[in-house]
Amino acid sequence: MISMAELLSQQPCLKELDPASIEFMAGCAANTFFPQGTALLREGQRVEKVYLLRHGRVGIQVHVPGKGPKILDSVGPGELIGWSAFGRPGMARMDLVSLEDVRAISLDAECLARKCESDPKFGYAMLVMVVDVLQNRLQSTILQLLDLYGDRS
Amino acid sequence: MATALKLSTHDPMTPRICEVRSFRRETVDVFTLEIESGGIDWQPGQFNMVGAIGSREIPISISGDPARTDIWTHTIREVGNCSRALAHLRAGDSVLMRGPFGVGWPEVEAEHSDLLVVSGGVGLVPLMPTLYLASRRPALKTTLIYGSRSPCDVLFSHRLAEWSSYPNMTVRLTVDHPDTDWHHNVGLVTRLIPTSPINPFTTIALICGPEVMMRFTARELLREGISPRSIYVSMERNMKCGMGLCGHCQLRGEFVCLSGPVYPYDRIARLMEIPEL
């Protein structure tokens, strides 16, 4: 059976972490499953887990009054969601809903925070990893604002 | 009925009068014309200058299957007077054609066992001939990442659905604005690159779409370790003569109609970074 550390080391967003850090992180990790249509998080909820997706996609959505939920982005295998856990006040900014059956590694946010504080080298590696995720997500959002394919005016 | 005048192919400046074989609406503002080709050879990625009679001609990429040598398939977005005039053509009508022009996509060599195609919007059009060829090469692992504005803007959806069932082809669709029936990805094409199975040493990547998208896509591919020599982009400029004479499509030292529109990224990357160009 494959160990949690091995599973974590296969995640693309953790490829820069050294084996010791991966092993350290594995103590906060567990396998988890969400059937299609499950809300992993709702806007305003306290974020207690960070998820590394292994299979399936999760929609990042916002509820628009009168129009219902609107999916703004989707994340798939190899991507990280729930990074609001690292910020303050640690509340979800948007809904996360599984668009299909999802298998993920959940990382306990409090456990991770304790490890980051106790080991600054590990904490810095986590910071770099999260910033990388954030800058990719931000770049994608900014480019979407350009409406690159769309202008029909 | 109009007939292709093969004699005039000797003079690339003289338009031939060709017959439209069919008109097909693809999306609300994109349509496809099948036009008799007169059996003229062409390469995937090349373009023709196409004009309705009485209207100016515009450069249009060839979107059809290279196996069909009797017709040119042109998929066109209605954005101006010339393309709107073309949208009024129907089977049996005449159209003015010059071409084909330009340098197309490279042939996928034996050392490349993986083909990655990244396209956005109507940028899928010039890549279709290459995808037709790839679909008939079971040993070539092909991944298409295709981004559109919304589900109703996805081009060639039936063909893409068919290809996605091929064992050697992976089709990953993404849109900016999904509707409730959309079951694919949401977001920019660049987001799908890190999670696509890419072997940087065996992959050749072809990109076509808005230039901003191509720039960011190329950067993402470089991050994945693909050599700039294995990345190709198709540039869009204001092509007029198609022969490098008029200078309308000049991009510093390059005449895009002549040395492009397809370029290896290492040759064009520097020019893509200059805002004034």
Side-chain angles (χ1 to χ4, degrees), chain A residues 57 73-74 77 79 147 152, chain B residues 153 183-186 191 195:
Chain A
R57 286 174 307 117
D73 201 351
S74 66
E79 294 191 88
D147 199 13
R152 293 207 180 102
Chain B
D153 293 308
H183 298 295
H184 299 276
N185 301 284
V186 181
R191 292 280 308 286
T195 56

Side-chain angles (χ1 to χ4, degrees), chain A residues 12 15 36 57 60 69-79 99-100 132 135-137 139-140 143-144 146-152, chain B residues 28-29 77 119-121 147-149 152-153 175-178 183-191 194-195 210 212-213 216 220 223-224:
Chain A
K15 63 186 175 194
Q36 182 181 2
R57 286 174 307 117
I60 300 172
K70 182 171 168 47
I71 298 176
L72 303 171
D73 201 351
S74 66
V75 287
E79 294 191 88
L99 301 175
E100 46 203 28
D132 205 35
Q135 72 177 3
N136 284 339
R137 204 76 59 82
Q139 173 187 287
S140 171
L143 292 176
Q144 265 179 279
L146 289 176
D147 199 13
L148 290 171
Y149 316 125
D151 189 8
R152 293 207 180 102
Chain B
V28 67
D29 60 352
R77 186 167 174 210
S119 63
S148 303
R149 187 175 199 250
C152 63
D153 293 308
V175 297
D176 289 342
H177 305 286
H183 298 295
H184 299 276
N185 301 284
V186 181
L188 202 71
V189 288
T190 51
R191 292 280 308 286
T195 56
V212 176
M213 182 217 95
F216 282 88
E220 203 62 52
R223 267 172 56 134
E224 292 297 317

Side-chain angles (χ1 to χ4, degrees), chain B residues 165-204:
Chain B
S165 69
Y166 287 21
N168 67 319
M169 294 187 85
T170 303
V171 177
R172 304 187 73 190
L173 305 180
T174 183
V175 297
D176 289 342
H177 305 286
D179 58 23
T180 48
D181 295 327
W182 182 249
H183 298 295
H184 299 276
N185 301 284
V186 181
L188 202 71
V189 288
T190 51
R191 292 280 308 286
L192 300 181
I193 291 171
T195 56
S196 291
I198 295 171
N199 180 339
F201 305 107
T202 58
T203 296
I204 181 165

Side-chain angles (χ1 to χ4, degrees), chain A:
Chain A
M1 202 174 101
I2 191 165
S3 71
M4 181 53 75
E6 281 173 285
L7 263 185
L8 286 170
S9 66
Q10 291 167 4
Q11 302 308 306
C13 62
L14 301 182
K15 63 186 175 194
E16 303 296 331
L17 288 190
D18 59 61
S21 296
I22 292 278
E23 197 67 49
F24 196 45
M25 180 188 257
C28 300
N31 274 309
T32 185
F33 172 77
F34 299 100
Q36 182 181 2
T38 309
L40 283 70
L41 273 174
R42 288 285 180 203
E43 182 183 330
Q45 246 178 11
R46 184 170 167 74
V47 186
E48 291 169 348
K49 310 265 189 211
V50 179
Y51 299 103
L52 289 162
L53 300 186
R54 294 176 55 210
H55 299 286
R57 286 174 307 117
V58 169
I60 300 172
Q61 68 179 34
V62 63
H63 190 86
V64 182
K67 291 186 179 172
K70 182 171 168 47
I71 298 176
L72 303 171
D73 201 351
S74 66
V75 287
E79 294 191 88
L80 177 139
I81 49 174
W83 45 261
S84 300
F86 295 112
R88 294 198 176 94
M91 300 294 184
R93 314 283 171 131
M94 290 174 195
D95 297 344
L96 297 180
V97 177
S98 56
L99 301 175
E100 46 203 28
D101 286 353
V102 165
R103 290 182 195 285
I105 300 169
S106 71
L107 297 160
D108 185 273
E110 259 190 49
C111 171
L112 265 187
R114 276 198 305 273
K115 285 184 188 285
C116 288
E117 282 168 15
S118 68
D119 182 345
K121 190 181 163 210
F122 175 74
Y124 180 71
M126 288 298 295
L127 173 75
V128 170
M129 188 265 286
V130 172
V131 167
D132 205 35
V133 170
L134 285 181
Q135 72 177 3
N136 284 339
R137 204 76 59 82
L138 185 62
Q139 173 187 287
S140 171
T141 306
I142 289 169
L143 292 176
Q144 265 179 279
L145 291 175
L146 289 176
D147 199 13
L148 290 171
Y149 316 125
D151 189 8
R152 293 207 180 102
S153 56

